[in-house]
Amino acid sequence: MATTKKDYYELLGVSRSASADELKKAYRKLALQYHPDRNPGNKEAEEKFKELSESYAVLSDPEKRKAYDQFGHAGVGAGAGPGGFGGFSADFGNFSDIFSDVFADFFGTERSGQGSGGMRGSDLQMGLELSFEEAIFGTEKSVDLQRAELCGECHGGGAKPGTKRQTCSTCHGSGQVRMSQGFFSIATTCHRCHGQGEMITTPCSRCHGEGRIRAYRKITLKVPAGVEDNTRLRVRGEGEAGTRGGGRGDLYVILSVHPHEIFQRQGDHLYCEVPISFVHASLGAEIEIPTLAEGKATMKIPAGTQGGTLFRLRGKGVVGSGGYGRGDQMVRVIVEIPKNLSNEQKQLLKQFEQMNGKGSYPLMSEFIEKAKRLFKR
């Protein structure tokens, strides 16, 4: 009795409008689930795996998928039952990559290309402390960095000077070996040469065949103006040396900015608190304010200034990102009340208080009125 073949889309669990990526993801997931090596002795899983592979082989090929959508199984000449492929002829070249992906997950291996290419060096990370002023205006710092450098003896080749690398006899220079699994085969990294395709028979005496050595190097770091605490700077090409001609990694520098005894920073603005006397707040004055941008600056305090009033000094803050513009300096005045008064000073203050009219303390008067309304409720 002829066995009715199942719909390819239903087998993969996708819609008939599924994209190529959706097909690949669905097949990859199911192929891992039903692979015979994960289900030893399970005939149902084996048959399911064959059906899934047949389905993906057809639907991953645009021409075969078009024929299947028009004429069904007859359009692709798939006349065999679920026990085998029979007259079905699949071009596995269209989806060999996904088999490699499946077996990479299953066997715990990594896909590898030819072994002759170099490998990029590792990235490095270090911390760098800056003063508050260095972060605001930018600076240059010389640092000692320990990293992998190319061996000066073999110039990174790993072989003793005067000798050469030999082609790996296991993979014959390809860096890969092929392993068969049922009706197809996959390539895995050569275990002998670790994918390099070559072997060092006489290693360099200085680097012992590594091609790199650990060494200290002094480099100059340019810190741009306006950086903030915990900023991460990327310095290209200052990481570890690569192998076999591979490029250098990068260096990442994490900045730590020390606090300032006067200023605090919020974005591109600087904030500071400046104490003024009771007399200056009452009568007004001109006072000198420290700035990071231009040294001292003169700021006018109007008569009747209240404690906590915030003044703005434009353009005396931090350089903006990219070196454009500059923030402002915000100055909050703190009215300081005198201590350790003499008897004469106390008497004068009492006379001063008695001479004040109703309009002398508008904030106090306003608060008293609010309190009266509250107590009448």
Side-chain angles (χ1 to χ4, degrees), residues 232-255:
R232 189 176 78 157
L233 296 181
R234 180 184 184 185
V235 187
R236 296 182 182 273
E238 290 293 356
E240 298 201 324
T243 59
R244 306 197 65 191
R248 277 191 174 277
D250 297 329
L251 172 64
Y252 291 90
V253 183
I254 310 300
L255 303 179

Side-chain angles (χ1 to χ4, degrees), residues 54 57-58 61 64 76-80 85-92 94-95:
E54 178 181 334
V58 170
D61 185 302
K64 291 177 181 178
V76 293
F85 289 112
F88 170 72
S89 176
D91 178 10
F92 291 106
N94 288 336
F95 63 119

Side-chain angles (χ1 to χ4, degrees), residues 124-169:
L124 295 177
Q125 181 173 298
M126 64 171 292
L128 182 65
E129 295 185 355
L130 299 175
S131 69
F132 195 85
E133 289 85 349
E134 287 174 333
I136 298 299
F137 299 110
T139 186
E140 289 189 358
K141 291 279 192 177
S142 292
V143 298
D144 290 321
L145 183 67
Q146 186 184 34
R147 63 188 183 187
E149 298 284 354
L150 290 180
C151 174
E153 188 75 16
C154 64
H155 304 291
K160 182 179 179 180
T163 66
K164 295 182 179 180
R165 290 173 172 258
Q166 302 297 319
T167 301
C168 176
S169 59

Side-chain angles (χ1 to χ4, degrees), residues 112-119 156-159 165-168 171-177 188-200 209-212 243-244:
S112 173
Q114 295 293 326
S116 59
M119 181 179 293
R165 290 173 172 258
Q166 302 297 319
T167 301
C168 176
C171 64
H172 305 291
S174 68
Q176 297 178 331
V177 293
T188 60
T189 302
C190 176
H191 66 277
R192 187 178 185 194
C193 66
H194 304 291
Q196 294 188 9
E198 297 175 340
M199 302 287 292
I200 298 176
E210 173 66 21
R212 302 183 300 175
T243 59
R244 306 197 65 191

Side-chain angles (χ1 to χ4, degrees), residues 304-317:
T305 293
Q306 303 298 314
T309 301
L310 194 64
F311 295 88
R312 182 189 299 266
L313 299 178
R314 296 191 179 277
K316 300 189 185 304

Side-chain angles (χ1 to χ4, degrees), residues 189-225:
T189 302
C190 176
H191 66 277
R192 187 178 185 194
C193 66
H194 304 291
Q196 294 188 9
E198 297 175 340
M199 302 287 292
I200 298 176
T201 56
T202 308
C204 171
S205 59
R206 186 179 183 191
C207 66
H208 306 290
E210 173 66 21
R212 302 183 300 175
I213 58 173
R214 304 299 297 180
Y216 281 95
R217 289 290 183 269
K218 185 179 290 293
I219 64 173
T220 300
L221 299 176
K222 294 184 178 181
V223 180

Side-chain angles (χ1 to χ4, degrees), residues 276-285 301-307 333 335-336:
I276 61 174
S277 70
F278 166 76
V279 175
H280 285 167
S282 301
L283 302 180
I301 304 295
T305 293
Q306 303 298 314
V333 295
V335 178
E336 185 174 14

